Amino acid sequence: MHIDTNNEKIDISSEKLLEELAAKVFKNIKLGDIIFLIGEMGVGKTTFVKYLVNEFQKQNKLKLTEVTSPTFNLLNEYDINNVRINHYDLYRIKSSKEIDNLGIFENIYDSITLIEWPQMIEKKPKEIIEFKFNYEKDYQKRSICIKGLSI
């Protein structure tokens, strides 16, 4: 499957589909990648991160850990052998100055950076991967469009 367009919707209406997508993404991301997770509350951003982190753990034969939203502490870090995954949630951020103080884009080349609610970021890196999560008309179905990554 090749996906690299905002026009191609991928169905993620079930957790199984989201888990399968995370396994495909796992095979195609690398250290230094920055992924923006864009979408309404409850659409599946954190659940996707859970499956992606768990896929790294499975592939490294490690115990699966609980993956939760870092809404209140802004950052959860996962060290999986030689890979660090930084999972940010900027929902509570009120100004771009707060983002600057977090140092999100410092030392990114030795980690994978996942950012929920990146809309507040003014100084975006040139190369980012965007995952746009969407509710469909009936809110029972969800989809995702990916820009910047082929899978």
Side-chain angles (χ1 to χ4, degrees):
M1 175 190 290
H2 171 80
I3 300 166
D4 188 21
T5 176
N6 278 328
N7 298 323
E8 188 172 346
K9 288 183 180 181
I10 304 164
D11 182 20
I12 56 165
S13 297
S14 71
E15 281 203 38
K16 182 71 176 158
L17 291 170
L18 202 53
E19 184 176 13
E20 290 170 1
L21 176 63
K24 290 175 185 173
V25 169
F26 161 80
K27 294 176 183 175
N28 293 282
I29 59 174
K30 62 190 180 317
L31 289 176
D33 281 347
I34 300 167
I35 300 175
F36 283 5
L37 305 161
I38 301 163
E40 294 179 54
M41 195 168 292
V43 75
K45 298 179 301 292
T46 301
T47 303
F48 171 79
V49 171
K50 172 183 90 169
Y51 287 124
L52 183 61
V53 168
N54 287 166
E55 188 65 27
F56 271 92
Q57 293 167 331
K58 280 188 229 173
Q59 295 299 322
N60 284 280
K61 297 176 178 31
L62 298 172
K63 180 182 175 192
L64 302 186
T65 59
E66 184 176 354
V67 176
T68 60
S69 174
T71 301
F72 296 103
N73 56 347
L74 303 178
L75 169 65
N76 287 341
E77 294 177 321
Y78 303 92
D79 288 311
I80 304 165
N81 287 345
N82 296 328
V83 176
R84 170 175 282 158
I85 299 174
N86 294 321
H87 176 205
Y88 292 91
D89 184 327
L90 305 181
Y91 183 75
R92 295 184 326 123
I93 296 291
K94 302 292 184 233
S95 74
S96 59
K97 185 172 179 152
E98 287 180 76
I99 292 172
D100 293 341
N101 291 338
L102 287 174
I104 293 174
F105 303 118
E106 296 172 8
N107 304 318
I108 60 169
Y109 298 105
D110 62 352
S111 63
I112 294 169
T113 304
L114 308 170
I115 304 172
E116 294 188 49
W117 303 99
Q119 296 85 328
M120 184 71 75
I121 298 172
E122 290 180 358
K123 299 174 190 171
K124 295 178 174 85
K126 288 182 182 177
E127 292 189 34
I128 58 170
I129 300 166
E130 287 186 356
F131 284 29
K132 292 185 180 178
F133 293 76
N134 299 293
Y135 283 113
E136 297 300 319
K137 294 176 189 169
D138 62 2
Y139 284 91
Q140 297 301 312
K141 294 185 179 183
R142 293 169 292 140
S143 65
I144 188 172
C145 295
I146 299 173
K147 181 180 178 184
L149 180 68
S150 295
I151 58 174

